[in-house]
Amino acid sequence: MEPERRNTATEFSYILHRQGSDDSVEAHAFDDIKSLIKNDSGAKSDSLSSLPQAAFNYINSIVGSGVIGIPYAFHKAGFGLGLLLLIIVAYVTDYSLILMVRCGHISGRFSYPGVMEAAYGKWGYYLLSILQFTYPFLAMISYNVVVGDTLSKVLVRFMPSWGNSMGAVRAAVVFVVTACIITPLCLYKNVSRLARASFLSLVCVVFILFAVMCKLISGEYNVVPDTENSWEFANSDIIPATGVMAFAFMCHHNTFIVYQSMRNASLERWEKVTHISLTFAWSVAALFGIAGYAMFRGLSQGDLLENFCWTDDLMNFCRVLFSFSILLTFPFECFVSREIVKTQLQRFVSSEPPDLDKEKDPSQQTEDNDRHSVVITLTIIFLAFIISPMTDCLGSVLELNGLLAAFPLAYVLPGLAFIQLEPHSLYSREKMPAVALVTFGVIFTIAGVAVLIPDLSNNDCKSDVVMSYCKNESQIVDNVTLSANP
């Protein structure tokens, strides 16, 4: 049965009332700055986050591992069209994030699952749950791919003889990291201590961007040869390129967490936070894309770090840094997947429906470490581990996750929820942008299924070869295939 809807004015008063409660703030606010300075006793914060702090928190949730795939997206779509697509995806994402909070005000349900259940009942909630499980699970697989590819290159740099069997080295790296680092972190009892991971991840990404820009300015990779489609304005692979970009901007699962952490929250202030955050995130993604593509053009890989020579020690340090950052991020994806599975099991076993009125921040959860949680966690980690060796191409995983999960979560479902909840007619001025948003998401999702999945085995990934422009690398890394010029 659908809950009773509140009107906007009533709901705004409700939000102001919530902001006056310290208990509500402490339990549900999301603020990385306060998490960094919060003591272990968990003392209550005196105030909610300001507008700049909320924007910083949102930037943390947007800028992540997806940005290293932007040069690959430019390669797929063409440089000019790729840059244009990046602007379009950022603009559409900005609109969808604002739309979600509007849906929260209309329905009185300030969580993504609550909004979907208010709009479409239990079936909307179940559909969202499937997609919310799929997105972090595929992200976990992509993290395994990145860790296996990047750390194996660093190991071979210091132990060249291991270059004889890169596949075995990659598998061993993923196994050791999964057993010794990922699993203990995902089973950690007090996960609130990992809240600073998003801040550290942002620092790592900014440092890697600085290193990439230094490599571009130094001209060290000017020896990279041009290909037939270098600097073409447009190529035909628009669908996979847009999927990578959608993955890079995906942050909708944190929308209500950040919104409820704001001081004097309102739609007007939320629009400012969203505009600031998306502008910064677009700037970082565009810089990665332009710098990476300018150096490698048609040879750009799904993982930008794969393009740099294995003997480049600065970029080897970036590889280690990037692996470190995503290993700290991995538990949060696992927590989300596990909580969705647990919630669904509880919903089927118990007659009591879950609380969908408040978005839960994974960084603030306390792991109860009961047997069911341990079993579910280990099962999810094991499935991600055995699936990840099926591909060593990050680009393919980013494309899949972007088109099959990020597009529906970021564009289709928020638009559908607004269309259902907003009282005006379908063809009204208020609803037509939402209709366009849904159309945009549906077209790319269907096209992604039709185009991408049959073409997964036909890609130009070169994860285990020494790129041809690394002249002396084949002498240092023994018996590793040297990539021919395309």
Side-chain angles (χ1 to χ4, degrees):
M1 182 176 65
E2 291 191 8
E4 181 181 356
R5 302 174 183 171
R6 303 187 183 104
N7 59 40
T8 302
T10 304
E11 194 51 39
F12 181 71
S13 299
Y14 169 73
I15 288 295
L16 292 179
H17 175 73
R18 279 177 54 87
Q19 293 171 347
S21 170
D22 287 340
D23 293 336
S24 176
V25 171
E26 176 64 23
H28 304 292
F30 176 74
D31 190 338
D32 280 312
I33 294 178
K34 289 184 287 186
S35 296
L36 286 171
I37 63 176
K38 188 176 69 174
N39 56 38
D40 290 337
S41 63
K44 294 183 178 180
S45 175
D46 293 332
S47 63
L48 297 175
S49 58
S50 64
L51 192 149
Q53 289 173 329
F56 179 78
N57 294 335
Y58 219 18
I59 290 169
N60 275 344
S61 69
I62 300 171
V63 179
S65 61
V67 293
I68 66 171
I70 299 300
Y72 173 77
F74 283 6
H75 158 54
K76 287 288 188 178
F79 179 75
L81 182 58
L83 193 57
L84 179 61
L85 280 175
L86 191 66
I87 296 173
I88 293 173
V89 171
Y91 178 82
V92 174
T93 302
D94 181 276
Y95 171 72
S96 68
L97 293 171
I98 295 172
L99 204 65
M100 287 184 65
V101 173
R102 288 180 182 172
C103 290
H105 278 276
I106 295 172
S107 66
R109 310 291 292 276
F110 283 81
S111 74
Y112 202 169
V115 166
M116 287 304 299
E117 187 166 63
Y120 294 100
K122 63 179 182 179
W123 296 113
Y125 168 75
Y126 288 142
L127 175 60
L128 177 67
S129 297
I130 293 172
L131 293 172
Q132 282 194 316
F133 174 84
T134 302
Y135 178 82
F137 183 72
L138 288 177
M140 291 165 62
I141 294 174
S142 70
Y143 293 164
N144 282 339
V145 172
V146 171
V147 169
D149 286 343
T150 55
L151 292 186
S152 61
K153 306 297 188 299
V154 177
L155 289 175
V156 170
R157 170 70 175 94
F158 296 101
M159 298 182 180
S161 61
W162 289 12
N164 296 335
S165 52
M166 285 298 295
V169 173
R170 184 192 303 107
V173 166
V174 176
F175 175 78
V176 171
V177 168
T178 299
C180 300
I181 300 177
I182 289 175
T183 301
L185 286 177
C186 291
L187 294 174
Y188 199 47
K189 292 183 179 180
N190 186 8
V191 302
S192 63
R193 294 182 181 180
L194 298 176
R196 68 189 65 187
S198 60
F199 173 76
L200 293 177
S201 178
L202 178 61
V203 172
C204 291
V205 169
V206 172
F207 180 87
I208 294 170
L209 174 59
F210 176 77
V212 171
M213 297 296 294
C214 288
K215 291 295 179 180
L216 173 65
I217 295 172
S218 69
E220 186 175 339
Y221 286 87
N222 287 345
V223 296
V224 176
D226 281 329
T227 61
E228 294 181 1
N229 57 350
S230 292
W231 296 112
E232 290 215 359
F233 179 84
N235 291 326
S236 59
D237 293 329
I238 298 175
I239 301 299
T242 311
V244 173
M245 295 174 186
F247 177 86
F249 285 108
M250 177 64 190
C251 57
H252 294 63
H253 51 295
N254 287 328
T255 298
F256 290 107
I257 295 172
V258 178
Y259 179 71
Q260 292 183 93
S261 78
M262 289 176 58
R263 185 184 307 127
N264 300 323
S266 66
L267 284 174
E268 182 180 356
R269 288 173 62 82
W270 177 248
E271 288 181 6
K272 291 180 181 179
V273 167
T274 304
H275 296 334
I276 293 171
S277 303
L278 264 295
T279 299
F280 182 88
W282 180 87
S283 300
V284 172
L287 286 174
F288 263 105
I290 294 171
Y293 189 83
M295 280 189 286
F296 305 112
R297 300 175 293 282
L299 297 178
S300 298
Q301 299 292 293
D303 179 353
L304 176 61
L305 299 179
E306 287 291 308
N307 281 109
F308 293 96
C309 296
W310 299 6
T311 53
D312 189 329
D313 290 330
L314 173 60
M315 299 316 297
N316 278 334
F317 176 73
C318 289
R319 288 182 173 110
V320 174
L321 201 64
F322 190 64
S323 297
F324 170 75
S325 70
I326 64 174
L327 286 178
L328 289 179
T329 307
F330 192 104
F332 293 99
E333 307 293 353
C334 185
F335 297 154
V336 172
S337 299
R338 182 194 63 209
E339 289 304 311
I340 290 172
V341 174
K342 286 179 62 177
T343 300
Q344 295 306 316
L345 291 176
Q346 292 172 359
R347 186 158 184 153
F348 280 109
V349 173
S350 174
S351 58
E352 296 183 3
D355 181 13
L356 302 180
D357 288 335
K358 300 170 184 175
E359 198 79 82
K360 296 179 181 179
D361 178 7
S363 69
Q364 302 300 323
Q365 296 178 30
T366 300
E367 174 60 51
D368 52 13
N369 207 26
D370 61 88
R371 185 172 64 180
H372 294 97
S373 292
V374 171
V375 171
I376 294 172
T377 302
L378 293 178
T379 301
I380 293 173
I381 294 173
F382 177 73
L383 288 175
F385 170 73
I386 63 173
I387 293 175
S388 57
M390 295 180 182
T391 179
D392 55 3
C393 295
L394 180 63
S396 299
V397 182
L398 297 182
E399 292 166 4
L400 270 178
N401 206 0
L403 292 168
L404 301 184
F407 259 94
L409 282 172
Y411 311 125
V412 179
L413 296 188
L416 287 176
F418 184 79
I419 290 171
Q420 178 70 11
L421 294 170
E422 223 283 329
H424 291 83
S425 65
L426 180 62
Y427 301 103
S428 64
R429 184 177 61 182
E430 289 78 10
K431 284 190 176 181
M432 285 308 296
V435 172
L437 179 68
V438 173
T439 304
F440 172 77
V442 169
I443 289 175
F444 275 90
T445 301
I446 295 176
V449 174
V451 174
L452 182 62
I453 293 181
D455 197 45
L456 283 179
S457 59
N458 301 320
N459 55 63
D460 52 0
C461 180
K462 300 181 178 67
S463 62
D464 278 350
V465 299
V466 177
M467 304 303 288
S468 60
Y469 47 80
C470 299
K471 296 180 180 179
N472 299 322
E473 192 144 326
S474 59
Q475 301 172 8
I476 300 173
V477 184
D478 296 334
N479 297 323
V480 178
T481 304
L482 182 67
S483 172
N485 289 338

